[in-house]
Amino acid sequence: MYLDTYSEKELNQSFDFLENFIKSHVTSWETAPNTSLIESEFTKCIQSMQDKEFSLLVLHAGYIPEFYLPDSSQETLYSKLIESLVCEWAKRIGFTDSFLQTQKSNKEDVTIKNGNSVIVCDAKSFRLGRSQAAPNVKDTIKKQAYTTWLDQYTCKKVGGLVTFPSLHDWKKGSEAYSYFTEGSPAIMMLFYEQMAYMLISNIKYDKVIKFLDDYDVIFPEASKDRRVYWTGVKRHLLTPSQQEAAQYNRYMNESEQIIKMKVNHVLAQIACYLLDKRFEIEYEVEQLGIDKLREMAVESKYHNICADIERQQDNICRFRPHD
């Protein structure tokens, strides 16, 4: 479905597409980039893609580049482009009136809309190298926020959607799955791979609306068990027939391989970076005299041993009364 269609070079180009797009449109990070202009250019770019190319880009989306600092302009811009991907995905499955929110306070990331029906969407992205295998629930879903977002609309309030990178899913279950199964309002989660599958399988907006409308029947009670949620999603949205289930399973097996390729690609990038840095340091050290090397060794060892207690000393001086 995918692995026999794309070459390794084409996959790697797709893996780097967003990051390379940002590099080509931002020459300096000393000043804040024109996010709205860059997002507009990005939208034009992805609108011109065929479904097969676009769906591949969606499949491995949601992983922030490791070299972007937390809360940096790079991270903010990258996250905005992920929201653009989600908005374009929504339009391609039939939510033709979808748009990005420009007001970030008390607003969803993407307003998914068709005529008089609205779904509020939170587009999630995380680093592969984050310290937790899965995020805290509070970083994933704030149910009251969805209620607030939906209350701002007078049209049919269908529910909420969280788009999510699958490698950060909870392995056994989580309080998050209680939120995804309890309704009032109905809030569903889709992995980016599943969104890509919907594109290539021609699963349209009306099925998403029906799925959310039938939430109380599909999930009669809340459950932390992830199997309960994903069984409902597959049976009532992604794979309602045995033939569709076989196609979906094949697709998910292949997409798992593509995601592994993406992880290996990122690890290779990090390995190259670390090797380059080692060579730089070795060259700089070779230019130093013995006295300077001794000084650097003392400072390095001192920092390793004393950094924590120095930080505590600094906090005492900053926050506690002393002479």
Side-chain angles (χ1 to χ4, degrees), residues 67 270-284:
F67 299 106
I270 293 174
C272 287
Y273 172 83
L274 295 175
L275 187 61
D276 288 344
K277 286 300 177 184
R278 176 170 287 277
F279 285 150
E280 287 179 19
I281 293 169
E282 286 177 351
Y283 177 78
E284 291 174 1

Side-chain angles (χ1 to χ4, degrees), residues 12 29-30 39 56 90 102 109 112 132 134 143 154 157 162 164-165 167 173 187 205 210 228 239 243 247 251 258 281:
N12 288 337
W29 293 101
E30 292 182 2
E39 186 278 320
L56 177 62
T102 55
D109 293 330
I112 296 177
Q132 297 169 301
K143 186 167 183 178
T154 56
K157 305 166 188 178
V162 183
F164 199 79
L167 293 185
I187 303 170
Y205 76 100
K210 186 177 188 316
V228 171
T239 61
Q243 182 179 355
Q247 177 180 310
Y251 167 84
I258 291 175
I281 293 169

Side-chain angles (χ1 to χ4, degrees), residues 42 90 94 123 159-160 173 183 190 220 224 258 289 315:
F42 181 75
L190 286 173
K224 292 182 180 180
I258 291 175
N315 288 338

Side-chain angles (χ1 to χ4, degrees), residues 299-311:
E299 287 298 322
S300 177
K301 189 168 184 178
Y302 176 86
H303 177 76
N304 288 339
I305 295 172
C306 302
D308 288 341
I309 193 67
E310 279 193 327
R311 184 165 51 252

Side-chain angles (χ1 to χ4, degrees), residues 9 37 117 283:
K9 179 180 179 181
L37 177 61
S117 299
Y283 177 78

